[in-house]
């Protein structure tokens, strides 16, 4: 199975900051990588698919990059509604696997 | 309105069974690949199972293989998860979700864009 490791596990930032979250795969997943945002008590929301494609309706301050084994999610100019937990997920091969999550907190 | 609504969760004893349902509306359910994802209390997301649009191919996480069965009824716009031999570690909120569709030359993207609100399954004596 492909293991997905996110770093950091948590990060504190202020409104207006730029934040980068990294996701590493234990083996190459090409561009089969998605990013999700989840708020407490809510279902996840798809932000990025195919490593760098922005899902419809998602603000352009979110961007994804990478291929193979290393990926990043960047949020520029953090807004109050961005404070949440973020997950990466590989879809290169079954079983699909998620990273452990990165909690983005207000500083 | 595009919507997925899960039902069927509840409290069940270890070794018991439960069948989850996911009712789809507002889109052409029969053309979408579907998945189940779960989240244990206070934990991260765990992919559980996946089914293609025709229902003829399915995949499972190792943790549920042989105990859970995913299925669908396209005439009823419904997805199901039959869960047998339940264990305490199966306690979680279970979400159904749609694969967002074709990407590149593949019929699916493996990214999940429409999610239900989740249904809680508690396995305890």
């Amino acid at each position: 199975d492909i293991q997905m490791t996110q770093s950091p596990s948590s990060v504190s930032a202020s409104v207006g900051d730029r934040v980068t979250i990294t996701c590493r795969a234990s083996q190459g997943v090409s561009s089969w990588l998605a990013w999700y945002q989840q708020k407490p008590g809510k279902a996840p929301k798809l932000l990025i698919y195919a490593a760098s494609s922005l899902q419809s309706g998602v603000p352009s301050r979110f961007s994804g990059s990478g291929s193979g084994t290393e990926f990043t999610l960047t949020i520029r100019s953090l807004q109050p509604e961005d404070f949440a937990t973020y997950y990466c997920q590989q879809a290169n091969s079954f079983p699909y696997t998620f990273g452990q999550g990165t909690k983005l907190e207000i500083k | 309105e595009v919507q997925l609504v899960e039902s069927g969760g509840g409290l069940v004893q270890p070794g018991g069974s439960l069948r989850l349902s996911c009712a789809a509306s507002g889109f052409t359910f029969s053309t979408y690949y579907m998945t189940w994802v779960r989240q244990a209390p206070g934990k991260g997301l765990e992919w559980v199972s996946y089914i293609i649009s025709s229902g003829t191919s399915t995949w499972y996480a190792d943790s549920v293989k042989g105990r859970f069965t995913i299925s669908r009824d396209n005439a009823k716009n419904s997805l199901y998860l039959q869960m047998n031999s339940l264990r305490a570690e199966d306690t979680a909120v279970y979400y159904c979700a749609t694969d967002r569709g074709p990407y590149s030359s593949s019929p699916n993207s493996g990214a999940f864009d429409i999610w239900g609100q989740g249904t809680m399954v508690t396995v305890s004596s």
Side-chain angles (χ1 to χ4, degrees):
Chain A
D1 298 2
I2 299 174
Q3 290 195 348
M4 308 301 291
T5 304
Q6 291 180 228
S7 59
S9 295
S10 65
V11 58
S12 296
S14 301
V15 172
D17 284 354
R18 175 190 175 108
V19 168
T20 297
I21 299 169
T22 298
C23 177
R24 289 186 173 87
S26 61
Q27 60 191 81
V29 299
S30 186
S31 295
W32 296 93
L33 193 286
W35 288 97
Y36 301 86
Q37 175 194 70
Q38 187 180 34
K39 296 181 180 180
K42 299 295 187 182
K45 174 186 176 183
L46 177 64
L47 301 174
I48 302 287
Y49 65 96
S52 60
S53 296
L54 190 67
Q55 172 70 1
S56 177
V58 174
S60 59
R61 63 180 180 273
F62 292 91
S63 64
S65 65
S67 67
T69 61
E70 188 153 336
F71 302 85
T72 59
L73 173 70
T74 300
I75 314 170
R76 54 176 178 79
S77 189
L78 274 170
Q79 298 301 299
E81 60 268 29
D82 299 337
F83 293 94
T85 300
Y86 294 84
Y87 295 92
C88 63
Q89 173 238 324
Q90 68 83 17
N92 181 74
S93 62
F94 290 105
Y96 288 171
T97 43
F98 287 89
Q100 82 280 14
T102 295
K103 188 172 184 179
L104 175 55
E105 299 175 300
I106 301 174
K107 185 182 288 184
Chain B
E1 179 191 5
V2 172
Q3 197 173 11
L4 294 171
V5 178
E6 300 96 338
S7 61
L11 175 64
V12 62
Q13 292 188 338
S17 298
L18 215 52
R19 188 197 197 204
L20 305 184
S21 298
C22 171
S25 60
F27 64 98
T28 309
F29 176 75
S30 61
T31 65
Y32 280 80
Y33 293 16
M34 299 292 296
T35 197
W36 288 97
V37 173
R38 69 184 181 183
Q39 187 169 37
K43 302 299 184 183
L45 301 172
E46 180 185 13
W47 174 80
V48 174
S49 187
Y50 190 89
I51 188 169
I52 67 171
S53 54
S54 65
T56 55
S57 293
T58 59
W59 292 265
Y60 298 92
D62 292 343
S63 58
V64 307
K65 198 174 296 182
R67 300 187 300 121
F68 289 13
T69 302
I70 189 172
S71 63
R72 64 192 296 160
D73 185 335
N74 287 339
K76 294 184 177 179
N77 291 332
S78 292
L79 176 72
Y80 305 102
L81 187 68
Q82 177 67 43
M83 304 186 296
N84 299 330
S85 303
L86 282 161
R87 306 166 179 167
E89 53 266 35
D90 295 318
T91 294
V93 174
Y94 285 73
Y95 296 100
C96 61
T98 63
D99 186 296
R100 71 174 302 285
Y103 166 66
S104 185
S105 59
S106 176
N108 68 308
S109 66
F112 311 128
D113 62 339
I114 304 169
W115 293 69
Q117 84 288 353
T119 187
M120 183 71 203
V121 172
T122 303
V123 184
S124 175
S125 55

